[in-house]
C-alpha cells in the first residue's frame, strides 16, 4: 500500500503523537503527516475522531484509528510481517507490557500537568516524590522483564512499553529544567537512566522526539502559564 | 502450562463489574478456575491480593500458574490469547480490534464516572445532567452497534457470539438497573437505544453470562445500604 494510504494527524509536542511516529518508523511505514492546530481543529480531525476530537488519529485507507496505544497495537497487527514485534510474543509478557503502559498513562503522564499546576514548593515536592516513586516501580519492572543484559523493556529491540514510556522523555527533560528537579537519576533509577539514553538514540526514535529546546520554549511561554492559570482558578 | 483448575485462580467479587468481566471471559473459554471472593472493605484485602497486585491492590487479579495478571481488560485479552482454541473474544481483523478496544476504553473512561455522577448529584437538575451524560454515551454505543454487527442483524458487538466490547459494556448492566431503580431514572430505553435494549436482553441470557451478573435485588440492597451512601459520603467530604 502506498504512502497516500497512511496519514497521521498530530501535533509536534504531543507525547501521544510521538508514540505513533515511533511505531510507524519502527515498521518502516511511509505516511503523510498533518500538523493540527488544536485551537482550530481541521474538519478531518473532527470527522475522524468525533468522540474526543483529539490527536493522534491514524487514517489507514481512510479509516480512522484513535487513542495512541490502540493505534500502536493496530500498527503492530496491520504490519505484522515487517520489522520486529512491538508487543511481546508471550501472552504473559504482553499482559505485563500492557499493565505498565496503562500505568504510565494513569499515573506518570498526569504528573506532568500536576507539577505544572502545583502551587508552592511543598506541593511541587509532593508531586515530584509521587512521580519518582512511580519511576522506581518502572525501574523494577525493567529489571524484571529484560534482566541485566538487555537495553530495553522489549529486550534487544524497543517494544510497546519502551514506546509508551519513552515518548515522555522530552517532556521529562523540560520539566527537570523548568522546575530544577531531577526525575530520572543514577541514585534512584540507574537502569532507566541508561535505558533513556539508549532509547533516545534508537534509529526509530531519534528523529521523532520533539526538539527539547523548542519544547522548553513552548512549555515556558504557553503550557506552564496556562496550567498555572487553570490552577489559580480552581 | 496445564490448563487444569489448580492453575487458574480469580480474585474477584460478585459486585464488581470489572471482576465479572473476567468470570464471563473464563466461562466463554470453558476454563475451570478457582474463585476467591475478596472483601472490598479497606484493611480486609487478602495477603494474596496485596502480594499479587502491589501497585493497585485491586481486584480482579487472575493468577495463572501462580503468575498474576491485573486490570480487567488486560486480563480478558490475556485469556483470549492463552485459550486461543475457544471462541475468539477480540475480532480477528486489526481494524475491528482497534474499534472494539476504542469503545471498551470509552466505557472505562466514561461510564463509572457517569454512574457516580448520578449517585452524588445534588438536586434534580444535577441528577438530570448526570443522567444525560450517561445516556449520550449509550447513544454513541448504539450508533457504533448499528454501524457494525446490529446493522448485519447480529445480536452482539462481537457478531453471533459475545466479544470484547460486549463483555466490557455488559458487565455494567446490573449496575445500570440498580441505578435506574435507586434514582428513578431511565438509562437504557427503547426510545433512545432500542438495539442496546435487545442486546442487553440477549447478553443477560448468554450461557457465559447468566450466572455471573449479580442478582439485581441483591445488588440493589447492597447499593442502597452500603455502596451509594459510601460514595455520597466521600463526595461530601471533598
Amino acid at each position: 500500500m502506498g504512502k497516500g494510504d497512511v496519514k497521521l494527524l498530530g501535533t509536534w509536542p504531543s507525547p501521544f503523537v510521538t508514540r505513533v511516529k515511533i511505531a510507524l518508523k519502527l515498521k518502516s511505514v511511509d505516511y503523510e503527516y498533518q500538523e493540527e492546530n488544536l485551537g482550530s481543529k481541521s474538519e478531518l480531525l473532527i470527522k475522524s475522531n468525533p468522540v474526543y476530537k483529539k490527536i493522534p488519529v491514524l487514517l489507514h485507507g481512510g479509516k480512522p484509528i484513535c487513542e495512541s496505544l490502540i493505534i500502536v497495537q493496530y500498527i503492530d497487527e496491520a504490519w505484522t510481517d515487517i520489522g520486529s514485534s512491538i508487543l511481546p510474543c508471550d501472552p504473559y509478557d504482553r499482559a505485563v507490557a500492557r499493565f505498565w503502559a496503562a500505568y504510565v498513562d494513569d499515573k506518570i503522564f498526569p504528573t506532568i500537568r500536576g507539577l505544572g499546576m502545583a502551587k508552592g514548593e511543598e506541593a511541587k515536592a509532593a508531586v515530584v516524590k509521587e512521580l519518582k516513586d512511580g519511576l522506581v516501580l518502572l525501574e523494577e519492572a525493567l529489571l524484571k522483564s529484560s534482566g541485566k543484559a538487555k537495553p530495553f523493556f522489549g529486550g534487544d529491540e524497543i517494544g510497546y512499553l519502551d514506546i509508551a514510556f519513552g515518548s515522555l522523555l522530552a517532556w521529562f527533560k523540560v520539566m527537570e529544567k523548568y522546575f530544577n528537579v531531577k526525575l530520572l537519576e543514577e541514585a534512584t533509577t540507574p537502569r532507566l537512566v541508561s535505558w533513556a539514553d539508549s532509547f533516545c538514540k534508537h534509529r526509530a526514535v531519534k528523529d521523532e522526539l520533539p526538539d527539547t529546546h523548542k519544547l522548553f520554549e513552548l512549555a515556558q511561554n504557553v503550557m506552564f502559564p496556562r496550567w498555572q492559570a487553570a490552577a489559580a482558578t480552581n | 502450562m496445564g490448563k487444569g483448575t489448580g492453575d487458574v485462580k480469580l480474585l474477584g467479587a460478585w459486585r464488581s463489574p470489572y471482576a465479572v468481566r473476567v468470570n464471563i471471559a473464563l466461562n466463554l473459554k470453558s476454563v475451570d478456575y478457582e474463585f476467591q471472593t475478596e472483601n472490598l472493605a479497606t484493611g480486609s484485602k487478602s495477603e494474596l491480593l496485596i502480594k499479587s497486585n502491589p501497585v493497585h491492590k485491586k481486584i480482579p487479579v487472575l493468577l495463572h500458574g501462580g503468575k498474576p495478571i491485573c486490570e480487567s481488560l488486560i486480563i480478558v485479552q490475556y485469556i483470549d490469547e492463552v485459550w486461543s482454541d475457544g471462541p475468539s473474544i477480540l475480532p480477528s481483523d486489526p481494524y475491528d480490534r482497534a474499534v472494539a478496544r476504542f469503545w471498551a476504553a470509552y466505557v472505562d473512561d466514561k461510564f463509572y464516572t457517569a454512574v457516580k455522577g448520578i449517585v452524588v448529584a445534588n438536586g434534580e437538575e444535577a441528577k438530570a445532567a448526570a443522567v444525560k451524560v450517561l445516556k449520550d454515551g449509550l447513544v454513541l454505543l448504539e450508533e457504533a452497534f448499528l454501524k457494525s454487527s446490529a446493522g448485519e442483524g447480529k445480536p452482539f458487538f462481537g457478531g453471533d457470539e459475545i466479544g470484547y466490547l460486549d463483555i466490557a459494556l455488559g458487565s455494567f448492566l446490573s449496575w445500570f438497573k440498580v441505578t435506574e431503580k435507586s434514582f428513578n431514572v431511565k438509562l437504557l430505553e427503547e426510545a433512545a437505544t432500542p438495539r442496546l435494549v435487545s442486546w442487553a436482553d440477549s447478553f443477560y441470557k448468554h450461557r457465559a453470562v447468566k450466572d455471573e451478573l449479580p442478582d439485581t435485588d441483591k445488588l440493589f440492597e447492597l447499593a442502597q445500604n452500603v455502596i451509594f451512601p459510601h460514595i455520597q459520603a466521600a463526595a461530601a467530604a471533598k
Side-chain angles (χ1 to χ4, degrees):
Chain A
M1 260 196 247
K3 190 175 183 167
D5 281 325
V6 186
K7 188 168 185 165
L8 172 61
L9 310 181
T11 62
W12 67 267
S14 163
F16 303 110
V17 173
T18 302
R19 290 170 172 176
V20 179
K21 287 180 175 174
I22 293 170
L24 288 168
K25 192 73 178 274
L26 204 58
K27 293 286 193 176
S28 307
V29 177
D30 282 330
Y31 66 99
E32 190 191 327
Y33 177 71
Q34 178 169 304
E35 178 77 17
E36 286 285 331
N37 176 345
L38 295 184
S40 173
K41 294 174 184 178
S42 73
E43 275 221 41
L44 182 59
L45 172 56
I46 295 171
K47 194 186 86 165
S48 304
N49 190 357
V51 176
Y52 297 112
K53 304 178 181 58
K54 282 183 175 180
I55 47 87
V57 176
L58 187 76
L59 289 143
H60 189 197
K63 301 204 287 192
I65 302 106
C66 309
E67 296 295 292
S68 65
L69 293 180
I70 293 176
I71 298 172
V72 170
Q73 290 185 83
Y74 174 80
I75 290 167
D76 198 27
E77 294 166 7
W79 285 276
T80 186
D81 296 329
I82 300 177
S84 54
S85 207
I86 295 177
L87 269 152
C89 304
D90 174 73
Y92 186 75
D93 295 338
R94 290 159 77 92
V96 171
R98 284 175 173 140
F99 175 87
W100 287 112
Y103 180 83
V104 168
D105 273 358
D106 281 341
K107 304 284 181 192
I108 303 287
F109 178 74
T111 59
I112 298 177
R113 202 176 154 143
L115 194 52
M117 290 181 78
K119 298 176 204 176
E121 288 311 305
E122 250 188 65
K124 281 191 174 57
V127 175
V128 169
K129 181 181 188 305
E130 197 186 324
L131 178 52
K132 290 179 84 168
D133 286 348
L135 293 172
V136 167
L137 290 183
L138 281 157
E139 169 92 0
E140 290 165 0
L142 178 57
L143 202 60
K144 247 193 239 172
S145 71
S146 69
K148 296 214 182 330
K150 310 273 181 179
F152 301 114
F153 287 95
D156 289 311
E157 185 51 286
I158 62 170
Y160 188 69
L161 180 52
D162 299 282
I163 294 171
F165 182 27
S167 55
L168 289 179
L169 287 170
W171 273 99
F172 271 26
K173 287 182 183 165
V174 166
M175 287 199 292
E176 287 182 330
K177 186 173 172 182
Y178 188 84
F179 295 103
N180 197 28
V181 294
K182 286 301 272 168
L183 300 173
L184 279 177
E185 51 182 347
E186 278 293 331
T188 46
T189 52
R191 284 297 302 275
L192 287 182
V193 169
S194 42
W195 163 81
D197 190 58
S198 305
F199 182 80
C200 292
K201 289 179 175 140
H202 189 282
R203 58 166 185 88
V205 176
K206 60 182 168 56
D207 299 324
E208 311 307 327
L209 290 179
D211 175 75
T212 317
H213 295 298
K214 207 174 155 193
L215 196 63
F216 184 80
E217 292 281 315
L218 180 75
Q220 186 178 52
N221 299 331
V222 179
M223 310 301 295
F224 291 143
R226 187 184 293 167
W227 293 337
Q228 276 153 10
T233 59
N234 277 1
Chain B
M1 213 185 297
K3 293 176 182 177
T5 318
D7 276 327
V8 186
K9 184 169 184 165
L10 171 61
L11 311 182
W14 63 268
R15 59 189 260 196
S16 160
Y18 304 105
V20 159
R21 288 169 172 174
V22 181
N23 294 87
I24 293 170
L26 289 167
N27 292 346
L28 195 59
K29 299 281 195 177
S30 306
V31 177
D32 284 329
Y33 64 100
E34 188 190 328
F35 183 66
Q36 176 171 306
T37 300
E38 286 289 329
N39 182 338
L40 297 185
T42 335
S44 304
K45 294 174 184 180
S46 73
E47 275 221 40
L48 182 60
L49 173 58
I50 295 171
K51 192 186 88 165
S52 305
N53 190 358
V55 176
H56 301 300
K57 303 178 180 60
K58 283 184 175 177
I59 52 115
V61 176
L62 187 75
L63 289 145
H64 188 198
K67 301 206 287 193
I69 303 102
C70 308
E71 296 296 295
S72 66
L73 292 180
I74 292 175
I75 299 171
V76 169
Q77 290 185 84
Y78 174 82
I79 290 167
D80 197 28
E81 291 165 10
V82 170
W83 287 276
S84 52
D85 45 355
S88 222
I89 295 178
L90 270 153
S92 39
D93 174 73
Y95 187 74
D96 296 338
R97 290 160 76 90
V99 172
R101 285 174 172 140
F102 175 87
W103 287 114
Y106 179 83
V107 169
D108 271 1
D109 264 346
K110 303 286 180 190
F111 281 23
Y112 175 73
T113 313
V115 168
K116 197 169 151 177
I118 298 169
V119 174
V120 304
N122 249 321
E124 284 308 306
E125 250 187 66
K127 190 170 88 175
V131 168
K132 185 179 188 306
V133 168
L134 185 54
K135 289 181 82 169
D136 286 349
L138 288 169
V139 166
L140 287 182
L141 280 153
E142 170 92 2
E143 287 166 2
F145 193 31
L146 186 61
K147 248 191 238 174
S148 60
S149 343
E152 297 158 20
K154 309 271 181 182
F156 301 113
F157 287 95
D160 289 311
E161 182 56 277
I162 63 171
Y164 189 69
L165 180 53
D166 299 282
I167 294 172
L169 178 61
S171 56
F172 276 93
L173 284 171
S174 296
W175 276 102
F176 286 173
K177 285 190 179 171
V178 165
T179 306
E180 287 179 332
K181 188 173 172 183
S182 295
F183 298 96
N184 195 29
V185 294
K186 286 301 273 168
L187 300 173
L188 264 180
E189 51 180 348
E190 277 290 331
T193 52
R195 270 164 218 90
L196 285 185
V197 169
S198 41
W199 163 82
D201 192 56
S202 305
F203 186 80
Y204 258 110
K205 293 178 175 139
H206 190 284
R207 59 166 184 88
V209 175
K210 58 183 169 56
D211 299 323
E212 303 305 340
L213 285 182
D215 172 73
T216 314
D217 293 326
K218 198 175 164 196
L219 190 62
F220 179 74
E221 289 288 316
L222 184 69
Q224 287 283 88
N225 299 330
V226 177
I227 301 176
F228 289 160
H230 178 79
I231 295 175
Q232 283 156 351
K238 285 197 184 141

